[in-house]
């Protein structure tokens, strides 16, 4: 049984207008997404901005209520959880967001920020909480004197380490990482990634990694879901995605990753998409990529393809492989 299972998740947002605030249109942010995260596994959900990755993550965290579909955690329907069961879920599923300065309270000292989940979910004494907080700061490679400082006194890397310390304070089973390194300098990104990998091994956690950076995905992920305009268009083990991508959108994402070796860059097949992603309000008929796809045919505009198995645990939503 998967630790986390998302089944046909749909999340549409109403667009209201006029004096009465009537619904004029629907933003189809997530439109039938299914994915799984196993125990002790790092699963990446990738795609360009506006593809629905963060909305999916917020539904998993129960920050958004899904329009339809199910989210199962250890076999339990997350949408039905209440009271103690919901509190237990909150304890087991924590998040690290993109910008640490927006997720950390600027009026609280670091030690209070990290201690907050311990106060809410445990009955530890003040002394016990202080000891745990100091241990957590050491775990994320921060000196103890950081505890008395405020978020605005920290660098971006230090602030993200504080956010990670807070997220792991309750020893969760699943960590949702929403672009955890994109707001940081490149040199700091590597440090944070190494920290996350080390913490996963030490604490036996699973990660759902939301990102558009495929170089990060290749470094840390076990399995990859590629998302475009609210739909999963390809899913496969990470190595399979990087060596045998089948969907034109995945190929375009991979060909956009910088290659430092000019010899390898010349050998790479370049896939270019036309124009900009369509609006999630006016989703194209048929395959959602067909207005931008260099291989599109008339069939692509008429009917939406289904996910087709093309290899061991490798699925693609494309008429070229159907």
């Amino acid at each position: 049984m998967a630790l986390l299972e998302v089944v046909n998740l749909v999340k549409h947002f109403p667009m209201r207008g006029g004096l009465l605030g009537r619904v004029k249109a629907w933003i189809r942010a997530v439109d039938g997404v299914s994915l799984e995260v196993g125990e002790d596994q790092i699963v990446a959900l990738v795609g360009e901005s506006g593809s629905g990755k963060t909305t999916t993550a917020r539904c998993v965290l129960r920050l958004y209520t899904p329009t339809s579909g199910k989210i199962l955690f250890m076999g339990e329907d997350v949408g039905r959880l209440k009271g103690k069961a919901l509190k237990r879920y909150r304890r087991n599923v924590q998040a690290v967001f993109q910008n640490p300065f927006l997720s950390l309270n600027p009026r609280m000292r670091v030690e209070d920020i990290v201690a907050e989940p311990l106060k809410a979910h445990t009955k530890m004494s003040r002394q016990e909480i202080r000891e745990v907080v100091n241990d957590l700061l050491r775990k994320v490679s921060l000196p103890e004197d950081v505890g008395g400082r405020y978020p605005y006194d920290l660098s971006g890397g230090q602030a993200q380490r504080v956010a990670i310390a807070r997220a792991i304070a309750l020893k969760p089973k699943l960590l949702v990482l929403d672009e955890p390194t994109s707001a940081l300098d490149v040199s700091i990104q590597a440090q944070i990634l190494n920290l996350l990998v080390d913490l996963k091994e030490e604490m036996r956690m699973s990660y759902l990694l939301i990102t558009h950076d495929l170089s990060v995905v290749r470094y840390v992920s076990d399995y990859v879901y590629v998302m475009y305009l609210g739909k999963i268009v390809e899913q496969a083990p990470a190595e399979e995605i990087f060596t045998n991508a089948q969907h034109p959108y995945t190929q375009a994402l991979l060909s956009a990753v910088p290659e430092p070796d000019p010899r390898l860059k010349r050998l790479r097949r370049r896939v270019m998409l036309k124009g900009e992603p369509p609006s999630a309000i006016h989703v194209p008929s048929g395959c959602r990529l067909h207005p931008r796809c260099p291989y599109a045919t008339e069939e692509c505009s008429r009917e939406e393809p289904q996910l087709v198995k093309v290899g061991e645990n490798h699925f693609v939503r494309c008429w070229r492989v159907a």
Side-chain angles (χ1 to χ4, degrees), residues 97-228:
F97 296 102
Q98 179 175 358
N99 189 336
F101 294 107
L102 295 179
S103 64
L104 302 178
N105 190 332
R107 297 185 178 183
M108 294 176 66
R109 292 180 298 177
V110 166
E111 59 188 7
D112 296 322
I113 290 171
V114 178
E116 196 170 19
L118 297 170
K119 293 175 182 177
H121 289 270
T122 73
K123 296 181 180 179
M124 292 182 181
S125 67
R126 288 186 178 181
Q127 181 59 34
E128 289 173 326
I129 289 176
R130 188 177 297 110
E131 290 174 0
V132 172
V133 168
N134 289 338
D135 182 56
L136 287 167
L137 293 177
R138 284 194 295 270
K139 265 190 170 69
V140 297
S141 303
L142 286 173
E144 286 187 19
D145 61 3
V146 167
R149 294 158 67 181
Y150 291 87
Y152 53 75
D153 290 327
L154 307 177
S155 67
Q158 288 175 325
Q160 194 64 297
R161 289 173 189 271
V162 172
I164 293 169
R166 179 181 59 184
I168 66 172
L170 297 171
K171 299 181 180 178
K173 295 181 181 294
L174 175 68
L175 213 55
V176 178
L177 307 170
D178 188 2
E179 302 276 10
T181 61
S182 63
L184 306 175
D185 293 338
V186 174
S187 59
I188 305 300
Q189 287 181 12
Q191 295 175 19
I192 296 298
L193 284 174
N194 287 329
L195 171 64
L196 289 168
V197 171
D198 292 342
L199 288 173
K200 174 190 173 293
E201 295 301 321
E202 180 182 346
M203 303 181 70
R204 310 300 293 177
M205 293 183 291
S206 296
Y207 292 163
L208 175 59
L209 173 63
I210 312 298
T211 185
H212 65 273
D213 190 340
L214 287 174
S215 58
V216 170
V217 171
R218 188 165 200 173
Y219 178 65
V220 301
S221 300
D222 301 308
Y223 197 83
V224 180
Y225 291 86
V226 182
M227 194 169 180
Y228 179 76

Side-chain angles (χ1 to χ4, degrees), residues 252-272:
L253 290 178
L254 290 171
S255 64
V257 176
E259 174 55 64
D261 190 335
R263 293 169 298 179
L264 295 178
K265 189 173 183 178
R266 285 196 300 269
L267 297 174
R268 176 189 285 175
R269 182 175 57 176
R270 182 72 168 155
V271 177
M272 298 287 290

Side-chain angles (χ1 to χ4, degrees), residues 34-37 41-47 53 207-209 211-227 232-243 245 249-250 253-254 307 313-316:
S34 296
L35 59 85
E36 292 184 0
V37 180
Q41 189 179 35
I42 300 179
V43 170
L45 182 60
V46 306
K53 309 184 302 296
Y207 292 163
L208 175 59
L209 173 63
T211 185
H212 65 273
D213 190 340
L214 287 174
S215 58
V216 170
V217 171
R218 188 165 200 173
Y219 178 65
V220 301
S221 300
D222 301 308
Y223 197 83
V224 180
Y225 291 86
V226 182
M227 194 169 180
I232 301 297
V233 296
E234 186 164 8
Q235 60 187 71
E239 193 57 36
E240 179 78 4
I241 285 287
F242 283 91
T243 58
Y249 180 66
T250 311
L253 290 178
L254 290 171
L307 277 173
N313 217 8
H314 188 174
F315 298 84
V316 181

